[in-house]
Amino acid sequence: MALTAKGLATRQRIIEGAALHLRGDDPGEVTLDDIRAITGTSKSQIFHYFPGGKEELLLAVARYESDRVLDDQQPHLGALTSWAAWRRWRDAVVARYRAQGRNCPLGSLMSQVRSTPGAAEVVGALLANWRAQIRRGIEQMQAAGEIRQGLDADRAAAAFVAGIQGGVQVLRSTGRTGHLEATLDVLIDHLRGV
Amino acid sequence: MALTAKGLATRQRIIEGAALHLRGDDPGEVTLDDIRAITGTSKSQIFHYFPGGKEELLLAVARYESDRVLDDQQPHLGALTSWAAWRRWRDAVVARYRAQGRNCPLGSLMSQVRSTPGAAEVVGALLANWRAQIRRGIEQMQAAGEIRQGLDADRAAAAFVAGIQGGVQVLRSTGRTGHLEATLDVLIDHLRGV
DNA sequence: CTTTTTATGGACTTGACGGTCCATCAGACC
DNA sequence: GGTCTGATGGACCGTCAAGTCCATAAAAAG
């Protein structure tokens, strides 16, 4: 399948339109007709650009959203080199998810695509990358003498990732950011040895 | 609607059968026909006992599963009065979710029932209860002088709940318990002031 | 300019699933 | 034992959404 420039643009429009819809209030189950309506395309276009049908399309959207997750935490996440930077990152994460509210585009996506091979790969890559960046931040602080050497950076990074995931999940269920904030604060306190 | 003993038994059989199915490999979307087949009942029985249809039934199953969550952590969760007890609890949580593997009955349920009023109430009650029990454990350790007074017990309890949630979610996605264990260990270390 | 490939529109098919309806059976109550 | 209410079976219906198909327009290739 050779795509022309026009075709590529349409394909991208479909992905971004679907992503937009996923962010709206209560996307619930996404249907191809929803996407068709939003993006002003026809059924045949969807299947033209995503021969694998709905699953392939949703996976493409998941990859797109997955990139957004870490992008939205930059530049803070990439430069956790002082306590002030950690604080800014913490605030950025809370703000991002507070803005997202009860809707987690990636979460909705994953629940509709769960148990396909591609889904595990997308989320696995995201989690690994996330963890690696946090770990790097911890190691930098250790190198600077701000965090004691004995602390297991990789394990602590895993705890951050899990804590944020859980905090967001609680947020999705209850609408409150308290758990997310508590986790981040407790874990940062732990790093500081408080 | 007056239920006879027989009727009550059937109603319960439906709930437990549905719960059983949710634990199987890849339940995906649950359909009423699945439940009908598993429980050896007919459509009319389902609607007889759950006039609200699928939503009411799934909510009943969610309540049932919700009770299991904390039950499975007892008696450890209810008596976090020594570091050994914390360790046993930690192991029980990991074992429980490792056994559950990639399937989280309650998680599947919530994704099919999300955004109904009852769903928020079920999960909210579970989280609050969980948090309260952990908080109580921390306070008891503080009273015993094992944890410093300055630590915010409620906030730390919230971090535990979020961390476990997130760890389980990572487990569901990747099949690995590493994040869950890391979170629990880091948070317990934090309590110990290590 | 014509031919071949790609892009698009939209009707149609197929299957699944929630929910309804009515008929029949069984046990409680008088 | 007759009647009434609850328990059960299963056919049936309506809807909705994924996916197919063919026709046509537009653009690239020669």
Side-chain angles (χ1 to χ4, degrees):
Chain A
M1 178 173 61
L3 290 187
T4 66
K6 186 181 180 188
L8 219 57
T10 300
R11 190 189 137 98
Q12 192 60 21
R13 200 175 79 238
I14 292 173
I15 292 178
E16 290 176 14
L20 188 69
H21 180 245
L22 264 296
R23 292 175 177 279
D25 302 337
D26 187 34
E29 281 279 288
V30 190
T31 76
L32 293 185
D33 272 322
D34 290 338
I35 298 175
R36 203 185 45 66
I38 290 175
T39 60
T41 53
S42 66
K43 266 286 186 53
S44 51
Q45 290 181 72
I46 294 181
F47 282 86
H48 186 136
Y49 296 111
F50 305 92
K54 192 181 187 184
E55 182 180 318
E56 185 179 340
L57 167 54
L58 289 188
L59 218 48
V61 178
R63 285 201 197 86
Y64 176 84
E65 280 293 344
S66 163
D67 289 340
R68 295 288 153 289
V69 171
L70 296 189
D71 285 356
D72 287 352
Q73 295 174 44
Q74 301 299 0
H76 317 295
L77 177 59
L80 295 171
T81 52
S82 69
W83 291 123
W86 280 83
R87 178 74 202 179
R88 284 194 299 273
W89 171 62
R90 179 263 191 217
D91 289 342
V93 170
V94 172
R96 186 230 144 105
Y97 285 106
R98 173 173 286 145
Q100 194 168 88
R102 308 180 81 102
N103 265 108
C104 184
L106 201 46
S108 305
L109 239 14
M110 293 318 295
S111 71
Q112 290 178 60
V113 137
R114 170 168 300 279
S115 83
T116 71
E121 175 245 315
V122 171
V123 67
L126 171 61
L127 293 177
N129 192 349
W130 203 342
R131 179 176 179 173
Q133 292 198 46
I134 296 172
R135 175 185 176 165
R136 180 168 160 73
I138 295 174
E139 287 170 344
Q140 286 170 334
M141 294 294 276
Q142 283 177 320
E146 297 277 6
I147 297 180
R148 69 178 194 286
Q149 295 296 328
L151 188 138
D152 183 335
D154 193 51
R155 201 182 66 165
F160 267 99
V161 171
I164 294 172
Q165 286 298 305
V168 170
Q169 190 166 316
V170 174
L171 167 61
R172 286 182 73 194
S173 299
T174 67
R176 313 215 110 272
T177 55
H179 283 72
L180 176 60
E181 295 183 61
T183 303
L184 284 166
D185 291 340
V186 166
L187 289 174
I188 291 176
D189 279 357
H190 183 63
L191 293 184
R192 299 183 80 143
V194 175
Chain B
M1 177 175 60
L3 291 186
T4 66
K6 187 181 178 189
L8 218 57
T10 299
R11 189 190 139 98
Q12 192 61 20
R13 201 175 79 238
I14 293 174
I15 292 177
E16 289 176 15
L20 189 68
H21 180 246
L22 264 298
R23 291 176 177 279
D25 303 336
D26 188 34
E29 282 277 289
V30 190
T31 76
L32 293 184
D33 273 322
D34 290 338
I35 298 175
R36 205 185 43 67
I38 290 176
T39 59
T41 52
S42 66
K43 267 291 187 49
S44 49
Q45 289 181 70
I46 294 181
F47 282 86
H48 186 74
Y49 296 112
F50 304 92
K54 191 181 188 185
E55 183 179 318
E56 185 180 340
L57 168 54
L58 289 189
L59 218 48
V61 177
R63 285 200 197 86
Y64 175 84
E65 280 294 345
S66 163
D67 289 341
R68 295 287 152 288
V69 171
L70 296 190
D71 285 357
D72 288 351
Q73 295 174 45
Q74 300 300 0
H76 318 294
L77 177 59
L80 295 171
T81 52
S82 70
W83 291 122
W86 280 82
R87 179 75 201 178
R88 284 194 300 273
W89 170 62
R90 179 263 189 216
D91 289 342
V93 170
V94 172
R96 184 230 145 105
Y97 285 106
R98 173 174 285 144
Q100 194 169 87
R102 308 180 80 102
N103 265 109
C104 183
L106 201 47
S108 306
L109 240 14
M110 292 319 294
S111 70
Q112 290 179 58
V113 138
R114 172 168 298 279
S115 84
T116 72
E121 175 245 316
V122 170
V123 67
L126 171 62
L127 293 177
N129 192 349
W130 203 341
R131 179 177 179 173
Q133 293 198 45
I134 295 172
R135 174 183 176 166
R136 180 169 160 74
I138 295 174
E139 287 170 345
Q140 285 170 334
M141 294 294 277
Q142 283 178 321
E146 296 278 6
I147 296 179
R148 67 177 194 288
Q149 295 296 327
L151 188 138
D152 183 336
D154 194 51
R155 200 183 66 164
F160 267 99
V161 171
I164 294 172
Q165 287 297 305
V168 170
Q169 190 166 315
V170 173
L171 167 60
R172 287 182 72 193
S173 299
T174 67
R176 313 215 111 271
T177 55
H179 283 72
L180 176 60
E181 297 182 59
T183 303
L184 285 166
D185 292 340
V186 166
L187 289 175
I188 291 175
D189 279 357
H190 183 62
L191 295 184
R192 301 182 79 144
V194 175

